[in-house]
Structure formats: structure tokens, C-alpha cells
């Protein structure tokens, strides 16, 4: 969960993305939701597969909380993902920049 002080904004960007491909992303996937685990999906879908070109745009600055979930079925191995977040305007997180990555991700 990324939490921002009310009225503050931050940006998200995938630098690398390679997860197991599956129909409807039922194997390994990342979900990004506005607010909490039942909030609307950002990008309107779960994220899986290979390459950042196939991912929905995260070009907008987000306000409020963003909930991020990584799930694996441990059936196949892929490289993983790297997701960065940065301040867009006066956001109070634990620092000015950050990184979220899956275990074993090199970069």
C-alpha cells in the first residue's frame, strides 16, 4: 500500500516487467488498485506477461492511496518486475523516491 497525504500526488512507472503469461492473468500477476484491495483497477486489468509495452499507461499522477498486489502460483519462473514511484507534488512517503520489485529481480 502506498499512502499519500491528502491532496498530494505521486507517479508510478514500470522499468521492467516479465511474469508468467496466462489467460486472464490467472497465474502470476500484479494488481494496482486505487484506494484499497476492493478499489477500481488502475489500467482496468491484472498485469502479466512480458514487456512494458503491453502494460497500461501509468503516466498520470495518483493521489490518495494505491494498493499493489503481486501474486504467484509458483508454477513457472520468470524474471519479475521493477516498479518505481516518485513524488509528483509534496507527497509524504518514506522518502523522495522508491522502488518495489519482486524477489530475485536484478537491475
Amino acid at each position: 500500500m502506498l499512502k499519500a497525504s491528502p491532496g498530494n500526488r505521486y507517479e508510478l512507472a514500470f522499468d521492467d516487467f516479465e511474469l508468467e503469461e496466462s489467460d486472464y492473468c490467472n497465474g502470476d500477476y500484479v494488481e494496482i488498485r486505487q484506494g484499497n484491495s476492493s478499489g477500481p483497477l488502475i489500467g482496468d486489468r491484472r498485469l502479466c506477461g512480458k514487456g512494458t509495452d503491453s502494460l497500461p499507461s501509468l503516466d498520470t499522477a495518483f493521489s490518495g492511496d494505491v494498493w499493489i498486489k503481486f501474486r504467484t502460483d509458483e508454477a513457472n519462473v520468470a524474471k519479475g518486475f521493477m516498479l518505481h514511484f516518485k513524488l509528483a507534488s509534496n507527497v509524504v512517503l518514506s522518502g523522495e523516491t522508491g522502488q518495489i520489485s519482486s524477489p530475485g529481480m536484478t537491475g
Side-chain angles (χ1 to χ4, degrees):
M1 172 82 74
L2 297 177
K3 290 185 166 284
S5 299
N8 292 326
R9 302 172 69 76
Y10 50 94
E11 298 170 354
L12 301 172
F14 281 102
D15 289 339
D16 205 355
F17 195 89
E18 185 179 329
L19 299 179
E20 174 186 0
E21 292 192 44
S22 62
D23 292 337
Y24 309 106
C25 294
N26 289 326
D28 298 353
Y29 63 83
V30 173
E31 279 185 6
I32 304 174
R33 294 182 177 269
Q34 188 72 46
N36 56 39
S37 62
S38 60
L41 277 168
I42 295 172
D44 297 323
R45 62 184 173 92
R46 290 178 174 170
L47 309 175
C48 65
K50 182 177 180 179
T52 56
D53 293 340
S54 65
L55 299 176
S57 173
L58 299 176
D59 288 341
T60 52
F62 299 97
S63 60
D65 299 342
V66 172
W67 181 86
I68 301 169
K69 174 184 179 180
F70 169 66
R71 183 215 184 251
T72 181
D73 62 4
E74 300 181 12
N76 295 301
V77 176
K79 185 176 178 181
F81 68 92
M82 187 174 292
L83 176 68
H84 287 267
F85 65 91
K86 70 177 184 174
L87 302 176
S89 61
N90 301 323
V91 178
V92 178
L93 295 169
S94 60
E96 289 186 340
T97 62
Q99 172 179 306
I100 301 170
S101 61
S102 58
M105 178 70 183
T106 59

